[in-house]
Amino acid sequence: MRKILLNGSDRFIHVLLMRSFLKWIFYGSVVGILSGTASALFLNSLEYVTDIRLVNPWVLFLLPLGGAFVSYLYYKYGKHSAKGNNLIIEQIQEQAFEPVPLRMAPLVLLGSLVTHLLGGSAGREGTAVQMGGSLAEQFGKWIKVGPIDRQILLMCGISGGFGSIFGTPIAGAVFAIEVIALGMIRSNALIPCFVASFVGNIVAMNLWGITHIHYDMGVIPALTLMVVLKVIVAAVCFGLVSMIFSELTHFLKKSFVSIIPNPMLKSAIGGVIIILMVYLIGSRDYLGLGIPLISQSFEDNVHPFAFLGKLLFTAVTLGAGFQGGEVTPLFAIGATLGNSLAGVLQLYAPFLAGLGFIAVFCGATNTPLACFLMGIELFGSEGAIYMFIACLVSYLFSGHTGIYTSQLIGVSKSPLLKVPLGTSLSSVKVKRK
């Protein structure tokens, strides 16, 4: 039997579809303008404070004091903001209703800048996503949207922040609809998220003059069985390293809290540990975003264990409560690991660095489609098959872990693993079937 739509007639269906389309073009554009502007402010400020740190190496000794200061601000004024990206993900999942506060934007902006100014190892994505989410929430309050539209607006905030901070609008759109739950995609938010990501990127680049760094994978090897097998071996390593990073970061966060309950003292001691690590290994290469490490991975050989150094510095920084994202350090970990594996696997180093760049990120965020699309946006489509293989294998071998503990498990990564569906990564217990 034919369904009755719209009071017995379906002739008005496209009128309603157009109404919805235009509404989300407008909503997504507003969120894109807000998040793109916020990302531009952050990127310009980040470049400024990074230059200060490089010119004045002594500021590293202020890291314990800076960490304590930021932790105090979050303790005193942050409230739910301390949850970071997980708070936004939980609100989209409707696990609880804790409004994403507007104060999250300035707090995470200031906290991330202090981290980078003084030498902590952190990224950019967390800051951009949290600013985008908090601004989208405020916009939703202003126009008084309902619960469903609020969820979509928050996803637009994720997209706008992600797309504008990395210059990858397609990956930004897909990341927001893929990151909420493993194996599940919120396709109803695809158009709004793409608009927000696209507009955010355009605003950041064309209005505020932001330029993004791009890397060259160089010569892509011919598609042969041997190359595919080597890429699979490398991708398994990428997935395992992303799992180690996620688990170590969560372990350190719990350990710091249990041993040092006072958040200010916790961050201060974490800063001292980072200073000791710098002088123990005799290098500052692992401080900040890790952009020089990434560039070196595509241009020259890096130390075989450079990926481990960046992994440890970032895990300690975030575990001690410093603010900042994980993604750019994950890019650095993946690119340096790919470079290190190139000699063992007898593959072109920039090629494997590019695969590691997206695949370690994929394993840590459980977003294979977004990471694959990011690879195409950053490196071109010539190596698309290898990029897709690397993302899929890394996604599988990272297991049911990830940097976002509030991610839900919509589908188990393997039919051989029994996982309670609908639970978050923080509470999952995996059994063999």
Side-chain angles (χ1 to χ4, degrees):
M1 180 183 294
R2 186 184 180 192
K3 291 185 178 180
I4 304 298
L5 299 176
L6 305 178
N7 296 323
S9 174
D10 60 1
R11 60 185 176 182
F12 299 117
I13 186 171
H14 289 92
V15 174
L16 295 182
L17 289 174
M18 179 58 69
R19 176 182 169 186
S20 176
F21 179 71
L22 293 176
K23 180 183 82 170
W24 284 111
I25 290 288
F26 173 67
Y27 286 2
S29 296
V30 172
V31 174
I33 292 170
L34 294 173
S35 57
T37 299
S39 291
L41 172 63
F42 175 52
L43 288 173
N44 282 324
S45 303
L46 182 59
E47 183 178 0
Y48 178 73
V49 300
T50 300
D51 289 341
I52 292 176
R53 174 173 59 82
L54 294 176
V55 175
N56 302 279
W58 59 267
V59 299
L60 176 65
F61 295 101
L62 299 178
L63 186 61
L65 183 62
F69 170 68
V70 172
S71 291
Y72 172 77
L73 290 180
Y74 269 84
Y75 174 76
K76 188 73 175 177
Y77 306 106
K79 296 185 179 180
H80 305 308
S81 300
K83 288 186 175 182
N85 291 357
N86 286 308
L87 175 61
I88 300 174
I89 292 174
E90 288 172 7
Q91 296 315 296
I92 297 171
Q93 297 166 347
E94 291 186 308
Q95 290 191 44
F97 187 82
E98 297 176 357
V100 180
L102 183 59
R103 67 175 67 90
M104 175 183 275
L107 279 174
V108 73
L109 174 63
L110 176 61
S112 298
L113 292 177
V114 170
T115 298
H116 287 283
L117 171 65
L118 304 180
S121 176
R124 301 173 290 184
E125 144 275 342
T127 306
V129 166
Q130 290 174 52
M131 289 193 298
S134 64
L135 293 171
E137 175 85 310
Q138 192 64 27
F139 174 62
K141 289 180 180 178
W142 180 56
I143 59 176
K144 296 180 172 60
V145 297
I148 300 299
D149 284 0
R150 174 178 177 263
Q151 292 178 25
I152 296 178
L153 277 179
L154 287 174
M155 296 171 75
C156 287
I158 295 176
S159 293
F162 191 99
S164 60
I165 207 72
F166 295 122
T168 54
I170 300 177
V174 176
F175 179 80
I177 66 175
E178 191 179 18
V179 75
I180 309 304
L182 276 66
M184 307 290 286
I185 291 181
R186 297 283 294 270
S187 58
N188 64 322
L190 184 55
I191 290 177
C193 287
F194 174 70
V195 172
S197 185
F198 176 76
V199 172
N201 183 52
I202 292 295
V203 166
M205 293 179 61
N206 294 354
L207 182 60
W208 300 112
I210 296 298
T211 57
H212 298 283
I213 303 174
H214 289 274
Y215 306 96
D216 186 7
M217 291 179 71
V219 179
I220 306 298
L223 186 63
T224 65
L225 177 60
M226 182 57 65
V227 174
V228 169
L229 291 176
K230 289 180 178 180
V231 167
I232 291 174
V233 171
V236 171
C237 296
F238 297 147
L240 294 176
V241 166
S242 67
M243 179 184 69
I244 292 170
F245 173 81
S246 298
E247 291 296 284
L248 179 60
T249 301
H250 299 321
F251 171 77
L252 290 177
K253 285 181 178 181
K254 293 177 181 177
S255 298
F256 270 113
V257 170
S258 62
I259 297 172
I260 314 168
N262 185 293
M264 288 73 77
L265 182 60
K266 174 189 68 175
S267 296
I269 292 177
V272 172
I273 293 174
I274 293 171
I275 294 172
L276 293 176
M277 290 170 65
V278 167
Y279 284 92
L280 180 65
I281 67 170
S283 173
R284 297 183 177 229
D285 291 346
Y286 307 114
L287 302 179
L289 288 170
I291 297 296
L293 280 174
I294 298 174
S295 298
Q296 186 182 356
S297 299
F298 285 91
E299 298 168 0
D300 198 359
N301 292 326
V302 298
H303 190 282
F305 296 105
F307 74 94
L308 184 58
K310 188 60 179 174
L311 187 154
L312 292 173
F313 270 79
T314 307
V316 172
T317 298
L318 299 177
F322 285 88
Q323 294 300 310
E326 300 94 343
V327 172
T328 305
L330 285 168
F331 292 160
I333 293 168
T336 51
L337 176 58
N339 184 286
S340 299
L341 290 173
V344 177
L345 297 176
Q346 294 297 295
L347 287 174
Y348 190 47
F351 167 68
L352 269 187
L355 295 185
F357 185 103
I358 58 173
V360 171
F361 170 42
C362 170
T365 58
N366 297 297
T367 54
L369 296 180
C371 294
F372 166 65
L373 292 170
M374 171 175 271
I376 291 178
E377 288 184 288
L378 293 177
F379 306 121
S381 60
E382 188 177 354
I385 291 179
Y386 296 124
M387 287 186 250
F388 199 53
I389 292 172
C391 288
L392 292 180
V393 174
S394 177
Y395 169 74
L396 176 64
F397 278 87
S398 67
H400 294 90
T401 66
I403 57 177
Y404 306 128
T405 55
S406 291
Q407 271 185 316
L408 296 180
I409 299 178
V411 178
S412 174
K413 289 189 178 183
S414 170
L416 299 178
L417 299 176
K418 184 178 181 181
V419 181
L421 304 184
T423 57
S424 65
L425 293 184
S426 61
S427 60
V428 64
K429 293 182 179 179
V430 181
K431 298 179 181 179
R432 288 195 306 171
K433 284 189 176 180

